[in-house]
Amino acid sequence: MTPNLVFSIMNDVSLVAWILLAVLPKQRWVASVLAAFVVPAFFAVAYIAIVVAQFGSSSGGFTSLPAVAMLFSNRWLLLAGWIHYLAFDLFVGSWEVRDARERGIPHLAVVPCLALTLMFGPAGWLLYNGVRLVFTKKEKAREAAAPPSA
């Protein structure tokens, strides 16, 4: 198995999970089990296997940007880094869907956040938190304007 083949498999698995997050927001198993645990666990196993198999096979490290570049000159370790991104971005996307559902945020407001989280992780997380803030303020304003119940 080559790094390119594993890369393709991981991307395909990730894309399926992201599509399910976007199109099946009412299916709790998608955001709570599949995208929050099953797929990230699959990525974690692949990540660990690659790192263990490649341990010590590349110079470089995490002490400077040139050291990281040298570490990632090993295609397998570069792939492990990519899998790391896939796992955590998907986990964040699953949290966005679950959190939005709990807060009553319309799923259509979350979909752009998911797309941005998929492509540019932290930017999507930041956008979601902005959406969350806007809808939380709207909800609080509605509650304050509502007549008291008896």
Side-chain angles (χ1 to χ4, degrees), residues 1-147:
M1 200 172 287
T2 67
N4 284 338
L5 178 59
V6 175
F7 177 84
S8 294
I9 292 167
M10 295 299 160
N11 279 347
D12 290 348
V13 169
S14 177
L15 187 57
V16 168
W18 280 102
I19 290 169
L20 291 174
L21 273 177
V23 301
L24 296 176
K26 295 189 187 310
Q27 298 296 319
R28 292 190 182 275
W29 64 270
V30 172
S32 299
V33 179
L34 183 77
F37 181 75
V38 173
V39 175
F42 171 68
F43 289 155
V45 169
Y47 173 86
I48 291 166
I50 292 168
V51 169
V52 167
Q54 296 296 313
F55 189 79
S57 68
S58 180
S59 54
F62 298 107
T63 57
S64 69
L65 188 55
V68 170
M70 187 177 298
L71 182 67
F72 286 154
S73 67
N74 176 317
R75 307 282 281 170
W76 282 105
L77 294 177
L78 178 61
L79 175 61
W82 180 248
I83 292 170
H84 182 278
Y85 278 116
L86 292 177
F88 279 94
D89 287 353
L90 181 60
F91 185 80
V92 170
S94 71
W95 171 80
E96 291 169 4
V97 171
R98 291 189 317 272
D99 187 71
R101 186 175 36 229
E102 289 171 11
R103 294 174 183 278
I105 298 171
H107 188 68
L108 283 178
V110 179
V111 171
C113 305
L114 291 175
L116 201 57
T117 302
L118 167 63
M119 298 304 295
F120 304 104
W125 172 84
L126 188 61
L127 177 62
Y128 174 72
N129 277 281
V131 167
R132 182 182 189 207
L133 183 64
V134 166
F135 278 93
T136 300
K137 284 186 176 185
K138 283 182 182 179
E139 183 61 29
K140 285 183 181 178
R142 271 193 294 263
E143 288 173 3

